[in-house]
Amino acid sequence: MCGGARCERRAAEGRPRRLAVRGHRLCPGCRDRLVAELRRLPRLYEECGRLLGGSDRARERTSGGPLPGLPFNTAASDARSAITGVLRSWSSVVVDERRTSPPPTSVEALAAFLARHCDWLTTHQAAAELSRETATLVRDAHRVVDPSPLRRVPIGPCVEADCRGVLVALVRPHRSEVPVEIRCDAAHDHRWSADEWLSLSRLLARETRVRWIGAADIARLWDIAPGSVYRHASERRWRRRAEAGRTYYHAEDVQRSLGARARNRAESPDGASSRSAT
């Protein structure tokens, strides 16, 4: 069974781990996620670097580093150190065991080096450890860059051809000004804005697997008031199920009701005013 980060999360949620590819230690999904996260680390490293001396605004006022007395961001420093340490350690493993030339020591070069050797790394006996360490680096760096609480709402399988990823909606409940983004957990470039949700949901409707979604997430994804969700659920008789004290609605019923509403609103000349009234 796969021991990668994605399958570890599946196991924690009570779902079965996936089978690893023959001769490898990771399943295709965890392998794809590992590559995607390696490619994200240089950008996160740079973003953490901009926070070392406090806010970006304060740093922009001087070219000589942080202003005197500006608080040092220890969390950003720790995240950068962890990224550098893990990438250097695993690059040394590849160099020593594969007898290859070492890469440059920059984070960007180290991450690219490991991504190129990913097929070999997934056969390594410690491949699951690499997957989990990389996932932790990405998670911790994200928390430094954007410390606001982040909810990951499962949407369904990625609609891009030949992609084995899962789509999640990234929702920040306490920051309504931040738009919802729908992103694939395996390929960083597979992403959609909330405005593109309608067209994406039509593609997802082709999938036969049942999906369930909570009222708060419906409100954020479709940009309607929470009270409207319950009204639609009652009037349209959405299928529902209870889990851990919360009610979830059948995604197909939600799409059928709110998809038609969104199309009517888009075709209406006064769509903006009708949106605020709903």
Side-chain angles (χ1 to χ4, degrees):
M1 303 303 293
C2 174
R6 186 177 171 190
C7 280
E8 188 175 59
R9 177 181 294 177
R10 288 175 59 90
E13 295 171 349
R15 296 183 293 164
R17 296 176 182 266
R18 299 188 185 277
L19 289 175
V21 176
R22 183 181 297 275
H24 295 254
R25 303 290 179 132
L26 302 181
C27 69
C30 285
R31 187 268 181 199
D32 292 346
R33 176 172 177 169
L34 172 60
V35 173
E37 290 180 330
L38 286 171
R39 291 172 176 167
R40 291 167 63 185
L41 284 176
R43 177 178 58 82
L44 290 170
Y45 181 85
E46 293 300 323
E47 291 180 0
C48 287
R50 290 194 290 270
L51 299 174
L52 282 177
S55 68
D56 290 343
R57 182 177 301 175
R59 289 176 60 84
E60 288 170 359
R61 293 201 299 265
T62 176
S63 59
L67 295 175
L70 197 64
F72 182 72
N73 192 324
T74 305
S77 177
D78 290 345
R80 283 166 60 92
S81 297
I83 291 173
T84 302
V86 170
L87 293 182
R88 285 179 177 174
S89 176
W90 280 98
S91 293
S92 296
V93 171
V94 175
V95 170
D96 293 343
E97 298 190 21
R98 303 208 77 183
R99 306 293 183 183
T100 187
S101 300
T105 57
S106 69
V107 166
E108 184 176 5
L110 292 169
F113 177 77
L114 292 176
R116 287 197 303 272
H117 289 273
C118 193
D119 285 337
W120 178 81
L121 283 166
T122 57
T123 68
H124 197 278
Q125 61 181 0
E129 183 179 350
L130 169 61
S131 174
R132 294 193 293 268
E133 286 183 354
T134 305
T136 299
L137 292 176
V138 170
R139 183 194 64 210
D140 291 348
H142 267 303
R143 288 176 177 173
V144 172
V145 173
D146 186 0
S148 62
L150 178 66
R151 290 193 60 197
R152 299 172 60 89
V153 183
I155 298 297
C158 185
V159 298
E160 294 289 348
D162 301 322
C163 182
R164 294 181 287 261
V166 174
L167 296 179
V168 293
L170 306 181
V171 180
R172 291 172 174 82
H174 304 296
R175 294 185 60 186
S176 58
E177 77 281 4
V178 178
V180 175
E181 182 182 34
I182 299 170
R183 182 185 299 174
C184 176
D185 68 352
H188 188 60
D189 58 338
H190 296 173
R191 57 171 67 191
W192 294 263
S193 67
D195 294 338
E196 299 171 302
W197 167 244
L198 177 58
S199 59
L200 178 61
S201 61
R202 289 172 180 168
L203 293 174
L204 288 170
R206 301 173 186 172
E207 301 292 335
T208 57
R209 187 165 61 89
V210 174
R211 298 182 306 279
W212 301 87
I213 187 168
D217 300 320
I218 295 172
R220 287 298 309 274
L221 288 170
W222 292 97
D223 193 20
I224 62 176
S228 297
V229 174
Y230 299 112
R231 176 170 57 81
H232 282 291
S234 176
E235 293 176 352
R236 304 292 181 176
R237 298 184 178 181
W238 291 351
R239 285 166 284 182
R240 67 189 69 192
R241 75 174 185 182
E243 184 176 317
R246 296 184 60 190
T247 300
Y248 296 86
Y249 298 98
H250 198 292
E252 182 180 341
D253 296 344
V254 177
Q255 162 62 23
R256 185 181 299 111
S257 300
L258 299 185
R261 170 188 172 276
R263 288 192 296 273
N264 293 336
R265 187 178 65 192
E267 294 168 0
S268 172
D270 59 342
S273 60
S274 64
R275 172 179 173 178
S276 61
T278 303

